[in-house]
Amino acid sequence: MSRKLVRPREGRMLAGVCVGLARRFNTSANLVRLLFLLSLLLPGTQVVVYLVLWVLMPNEDRFAAARH
């Protein structure tokens, strides 16, 4: 779990949040997407959390540029 939490350019469907989480925790992006969709059936603030992660997680290219 040493990878940084970033939104990659490849594999995105909407903003890349699910792919970024999947890479960070070394799991399948489709599994994270499925879990997110299933969580929408429950009451809560899932969409708000997704939007916050979209804003807070840097793009992969921006993160790479900041490191150099």
Side-chain angles (χ1 to χ4, degrees):
M1 279 197 307
S2 63
R3 292 186 174 202
K4 297 293 181 184
L5 188 58
V6 296
R7 294 182 297 124
R9 285 283 179 208
E10 296 86 28
R12 287 183 175 191
M13 287 193 128
L14 184 61
V17 172
C18 290
V19 176
L21 289 171
R23 286 187 182 179
R24 171 66 171 93
F25 295 107
N26 198 25
T27 188
S28 166
N30 288 329
L31 176 64
V32 175
R33 289 176 183 134
L34 177 65
L35 291 174
F36 176 71
L37 289 175
L38 290 175
S39 75
L40 292 176
L41 299 174
L42 302 170
T45 59
Q46 298 86 333
V47 175
V48 174
V49 171
Y50 186 91
L51 293 173
V52 168
L53 286 173
W54 188 349
V55 170
L56 294 180
M57 286 173 64
N59 280 325
E60 188 174 45
D61 54 347
R62 184 178 299 167
F63 178 76
R67 288 181 59 179
H68 294 309

